[in-house]
Amino acid sequence: MQLQIRRKSSGAEHTLDIREVDELTVGRDSSNDVQLPFSFVSSRHLHLRRVEKTWSITDLGSTNGTEVDGIKLQPHRSFGLQIGALVTIQDIELSLAESIPASFTIAHSGTLVRQLLKDGLATDEIDSAFFEVIEGPNTGERVYIPDHLDAVPLRISNTKLELLEEAQNSNSTLIRVSDGFGIESELELLTNGAPYQSGKRILNGSRLSFGPLTFVFFDPLEELLPAPAPTEATLTPATQDEHREEAPQEDGEEEQALDQEQEKEKAPGGAEKWIVLIALACLLLTIGLVAMFFF
């Protein structure tokens, strides 16, 4: 079973192999099984589920809705989806098909995202992602990254950065991280002056260093991609400090902290308590003296 994905504005088509999948979500966010990186697609747009030999489709309360063969689905209600039925989300058409060679699998969904974005661009309008050496013997050299990669052997030395065809002489691996890239390595790499955590996503403009060699990562497509989740992003030292200082609280923790703050505001401080007690004692003493004077 395959899921065909077609962008109407460009006519480009891609096929996703879903033979081993029983259910999947489709949406703009990278947490979905199938990510459609367009503003007209909701973060979690729709859900597909295998029901024996057929499939069902559910719109997950999307902003722009979902149509099947021209009929708009009611949100949060499941409907049967026949082979060949046309699912439309504005500029995107989806359909289930059988016996069609698939160009991608769920594991390649990050590559599919990048290809969907490129479909709407002129071929010479945007470059592939690349590393550019800015310090070292080969300053100015660019190493272009193939968009179809799953994992590519990489060799990083004090003088050179190389993509290899075989892993035999490699000491690192360039990997796909969602719809971006990362490096798996045991080398002590630095990114933007801080230790690089192996496997973390590298953001556009990041400087990576190993010994005297420094290179910058450029991804011209990144600004068109949905923002990566915080756990995917490579944090700079400044943003790491911000995250430590302003760690997110759970809803329950926020309410509890707010209640405690309000109680502190209501409750008088220690010095204020003593002033109140002294004033009260003076008042009682005055009342006693007045009573003795008259009686």
Side-chain angles (χ1 to χ4, degrees), residues 119-171:
D119 289 342
L121 302 173
T123 53
D124 58 350
E125 188 175 342
I126 197 164
D127 283 330
S128 298
F130 62 90
F131 294 109
E132 181 172 343
V133 178
I134 60 171
E135 293 180 14
N138 298 296
T139 298
E141 182 181 43
R142 290 185 177 185
V143 178
Y144 284 90
I145 302 171
D147 251 327
H148 62 269
L149 73 83
D150 290 323
V152 173
L154 184 66
R155 181 168 180 79
I156 304 172
S157 68
N158 291 331
T159 59
K160 196 172 181 64
L161 173 72
E162 301 174 273
L163 293 182
L164 305 177
E165 294 184 0
E166 298 181 358
Q168 184 176 357
N169 297 317
S170 67
N171 55 17

Side-chain angles (χ1 to χ4, degrees), residues 10 49 59 72 115 176 263:
S10 65
R49 185 166 68 92
D59 181 281
K72 189 170 184 177
Q115 191 58 57
R176 170 76 68 205
E263 288 299 324

Side-chain angles (χ1 to χ4, degrees), residues 16-83:
L16 190 67
D17 188 342
I18 58 172
R19 286 176 297 178
E20 305 300 322
V21 178
D22 290 327
E23 61 180 336
L24 52 87
T25 57
V26 178
R28 189 180 68 252
D29 191 83
S30 60
S31 63
N32 291 282
D33 300 298
V34 179
Q35 183 185 4
L36 301 177
F38 306 106
S39 58
F40 55 82
V41 179
S42 292
S43 295
R44 286 175 61 82
H45 199 104
L46 62 84
H47 177 259
L48 295 174
R49 185 166 68 92
R50 191 193 301 270
V51 183
E52 295 181 353
K53 295 184 178 181
T54 62
W55 287 77
S56 70
I57 182 171
T58 307
D59 181 281
L60 300 175
S62 64
T63 300
N64 293 314
T66 305
E67 293 183 359
V68 175
D69 288 337
I71 300 174
K72 189 170 184 177
L73 300 183
Q74 296 182 30
H76 304 294
R77 290 189 59 185
S78 295
F79 297 87
L81 185 63
Q82 302 298 319
I83 303 297

